[in-house]
Amino acid sequence: MRAVIVAIGVAFLVSLLATPLAIKVFARLKAGQPIRSNLGLASNEGKKGTPTMGGVVFILATVIAYVAGHLALTTLPDAQIAQVEPTITALVLLGLMVFSGAVGFIDDFLKVRKRHSGGLNKRGKLFGQILVGAVFGVVALYFPSSMTDASGATTNTETVGSTTLSFIRDVPALEIGKVASVIVIIMVVMAATNGVNLTDGLDGLATGASVMVLAAYALIAFWQYRHWCADPTYTANPNNYCYAVRDPLEIALIAGAAAGACVGFLWWNTSPARIFMGDTGALGLGGLIAGMAMSTRTVLLLPILGGLFVIITMSVVIQIISFRTTGKRVFRMSPLQHHFELAGWSEVNIVVRFWIIAGIGVAIALGLFYSDFLASMG
């Protein structure tokens, strides 16, 4: 727990203190977010020229905090030193965050360079998401752990991802094999990155919602660590239900670090925002959230945990289908947050109310996770 707390604290402070520096640097580079002024959105007023690509700050803060958390791990008792060395789990999770963020950075850079809201074309962005998901999906499925106990016996041969679809844990009846699992991972990465990206658009909306989801994954992963199948002190009691995952403390540390970094960034990103996360941040957070679902074996729980992202994404899908089939729009504008803007809601009201929706989804998901544990123990 000490390492997770250290990582959260370091990430928060680095992000909080580094974001003002990033604002100055991006302002000098004239890396302002291009704003379309013909949409009739009140939230767009006065935002032209606000620095973008702020996701760079909390992505770097997360990586720095991960290193700090590992330094704290060296003070743990010998029985818990198994995860002191960096793991494949960290490579996959941080890799998904960094390289998904890199795809977003290219998009942001092109927008700034062209002084236009159209950056990387859809095919380019889609290719980048598929490539990142495929590379780290393969790594997640083809590199099992080789953790050994004091006697030298292997105690954990889990991979970061699973060849079985999962809800609260792996569902044995839903074994799909490695190739199909890589495809599922790609789909989850695409869904999560686009979901966070579509939610971004109002000051602090995507950042605050991501904090809740990442904090929930930190709790889930730490709970799995405390009831871990690879922990001989826990599995000594055969009546205790355990979680067959790989490196849960690593997962909790990274999720906590990312949540802390987002809170530090939110200080400057809340209304009126002095900096935007841009596609750099949105795609980076989406990639990490997808990795969290995969590594904690809660892939099918993600739509509940990230309920706000699903609702906003579906508003876009419904709008497109309706317009192409009937020529009519269901919403005044999509994504959904802009519908309420045109309906007369203030930006702050929309953000706070949408945060409440995000919190409800997180609460339901955590309730399902814990109720499954209680049922297993009973």
Side-chain angles (χ1 to χ4, degrees):
M1 187 64 176
R2 184 188 312 167
V4 177
I5 293 174
V6 168
I8 293 172
V10 169
F12 170 75
L13 289 175
V14 170
S15 188
L16 180 68
L17 298 176
T19 301
L21 298 177
I23 293 172
K24 293 180 180 178
V25 171
F26 290 141
R28 288 179 181 176
L29 295 175
K30 297 182 179 181
Q33 175 70 42
I35 300 293
R36 293 176 63 184
S37 58
N38 61 340
L39 298 179
L41 298 174
S43 64
N44 283 353
E45 296 180 8
K47 293 187 178 181
K48 186 176 181 179
T50 301
T52 188
M53 296 189 283
V56 170
V57 177
F58 59 72
I59 290 174
L60 288 176
T62 301
V63 175
I64 292 170
Y66 170 75
V67 175
H70 264 268
L71 293 176
L73 276 175
T74 60
T75 63
L76 292 174
D78 290 343
Q80 296 177 318
I81 296 237
Q83 292 187 304
V84 169
E85 298 296 328
T87 64
I88 291 293
T89 301
L91 172 66
V92 170
L93 295 179
L94 294 177
L96 282 169
M97 187 181 198
V98 171
F99 286 96
S100 294
V103 174
F105 182 85
I106 295 172
D107 188 37
D108 287 332
F109 177 79
L110 292 176
K111 288 177 183 177
V112 170
R113 186 177 181 181
K114 296 176 182 178
R115 304 296 179 191
H116 190 271
S117 58
L120 188 64
N121 61 48
K122 292 181 180 179
R123 289 184 179 179
K125 189 179 292 186
L126 182 64
F127 175 77
Q129 292 169 327
I130 292 174
L131 180 62
V132 172
V135 169
F136 289 101
V138 169
V139 174
L141 290 168
Y142 285 85
F143 292 87
S145 174
S146 58
M147 186 181 296
T148 57
D149 58 21
S151 65
T154 300
T155 60
N156 184 18
T157 58
E158 295 289 340
T159 53
V160 180
S162 174
T163 57
T164 302
L165 291 181
S166 57
F167 181 53
I168 307 286
R169 47 185 169 175
D170 282 341
V171 181
L174 299 179
E175 173 72 35
I176 59 175
K178 289 186 177 181
V179 174
S181 293
V182 171
I183 295 173
V184 168
I185 291 170
I186 293 172
M187 293 173 63
V188 173
V189 169
M190 292 175 60
T193 51
N194 287 310
V196 178
N197 198 23
L198 290 171
T199 303
D200 192 26
L202 297 183
D203 294 350
L205 177 56
T207 310
S210 297
V211 168
M212 297 182 205
V213 174
L214 290 167
Y217 272 123
L219 290 173
I220 288 171
F222 191 75
W223 185 262
Q224 291 176 333
Y225 174 65
R226 297 293 294 176
H227 306 86
W228 191 22
C229 293
D231 182 357
T233 63
Y234 179 75
T235 55
N237 184 348
N239 294 323
N240 286 334
Y241 171 75
C242 65
Y243 294 94
V245 296
R246 174 171 178 171
D247 309 320
L249 187 58
E250 285 277 84
I251 302 169
L253 193 154
I254 293 171
C262 285
V263 172
F265 180 77
L266 185 61
W267 183 274
W268 307 101
N269 181 236
T270 193
S271 184
R274 293 185 57 190
I275 189 170
F276 301 139
M277 70 165 68
D279 280 19
T280 305
L283 269 61
L285 288 174
L288 178 60
I289 289 171
M292 290 290 159
M294 170 184 61
S295 58
T296 57
R297 312 294 169 86
T298 56
V299 169
L300 298 180
L301 186 66
L302 179 58
I304 300 174
L305 194 59
L308 178 64
F309 303 139
V310 174
I311 291 170
I312 288 177
T313 301
M314 289 307 300
S315 74
V316 175
V317 173
I318 291 170
Q319 187 85 322
I320 292 173
I321 293 175
S322 176
F323 187 74
R324 289 183 177 178
T325 56
T326 68
K328 297 181 180 180
R329 292 180 172 86
V330 176
F331 307 103
R332 289 181 171 92
M333 184 182 292
S334 64
L336 188 61
Q337 60 268 34
H338 298 314
H339 167 83
F340 289 105
E341 270 196 280
L342 293 178
W345 290 23
S346 71
E347 182 175 11
V348 173
N349 275 342
I350 297 170
V351 170
V352 172
R353 288 168 181 172
F354 276 39
W355 279 353
I356 292 172
I357 294 171
I360 291 171
V362 167
I364 292 172
L366 288 177
L368 290 171
F369 181 84
Y370 187 61
S371 63
D372 175 79
F373 177 80
L374 291 179
S376 300
M377 293 294 289

